[in-house]
Amino acid sequence: MYICKPERNALQAKLLIAICALVTIALFAASSLIAQYSSLLNFAGVAALAVSILLVVRYYMTEFEYSVDSESFSIVKTVGTRKQTVCCLALDKSCELIKMSDYKLLPRDKKAIIKYSLNQNIKAESYVFLCDFNGKRTMVEFEPNAEFVVIVERMIANAVNAEEDSQ
C-alpha cells in the first residue's frame, strides 16, 4: 500500500485565518459604530462568522491522506482526532487519472456527473481520478505529489490489465 499526505500551505492557512477574523471583527465593530445600519451589519457579521467557520474547518483543520494498493484507491479525512474514510474506489472500475487543467478541457459528455473535491489547500495543483460508480461517471479531485501520481497510474494500468486477462 502506498500513502500520500499532501503538505499544507502554511502561508495560505495563516492568511485564511487572519482574513476571516478581520472581516468578522470589522463587521461587528462597524455595526456598533454605525447605528443606522447596525442590524444589517450584524447580519453580515453573523454570515461572515458562519462562512469563516466553514472555511477554517474545511481548509485549516481538515487533513487528507490518499492511499492506493493493487485493488483500490482510498481517501481518509482527518478532522482533529476523528478519522473517516471518505471514499474507497476499485481500480478496475477506474477510467483514468488526469490533471484538473486537462479535465476542464474535456467535452461535456466525457465529464463526471458526481463530483468530489478532496483538496487540502485552496487553489492546489490537483488531479482528477475518473471512474464509474454505481453506473455514473464520477470524479474525485485530490492533490497528490508527482511520485504518487506515477504509482496510481501504474496501479490503474495493472488493475485494468488484470481485469482484461480474467475475462
Side-chain angles (χ1 to χ4, degrees), residues 76-91:
V76 175
K77 176 173 86 170
T78 306
V79 180
T81 57
R82 182 176 175 230
K83 290 186 178 222
Q84 176 185 13
T85 301
V86 179
C87 69
C88 185
L89 302 167
L91 289 178

Side-chain angles (χ1 to χ4, degrees), residues 15-31 41-42 44-52 55:
L15 237 96
L16 175 71
I17 291 175
I19 290 171
C20 288
L22 286 175
V23 167
T24 304
I25 290 169
L27 285 169
F28 283 123
S31 74
L41 290 171
N42 269 332
V46 170
L49 180 62
V51 169
S52 296
L55 289 173

Side-chain angles (χ1 to χ4, degrees), residues 56-80:
V56 167
V57 169
R58 171 65 175 91
Y59 290 107
Y60 183 73
M61 295 176 64
T62 303
E63 293 181 349
F64 289 102
E65 185 176 273
Y66 316 122
S67 62
V68 66
D69 58 21
S70 61
E71 297 173 356
S72 64
F73 169 72
S74 61
I75 298 177
V76 175
K77 176 173 86 170
T78 306
V79 180

Side-chain angles (χ1 to χ4, degrees), residues 107-126:
R108 186 180 183 106
D109 61 325
K110 298 281 186 185
K111 290 189 176 183
I113 296 171
I114 302 171
K115 301 174 183 179
Y116 297 101
S117 177
L118 302 175
N119 289 336
Q120 188 167 294
N121 297 302
I122 302 170
K123 298 286 186 187
E125 283 190 37
S126 57

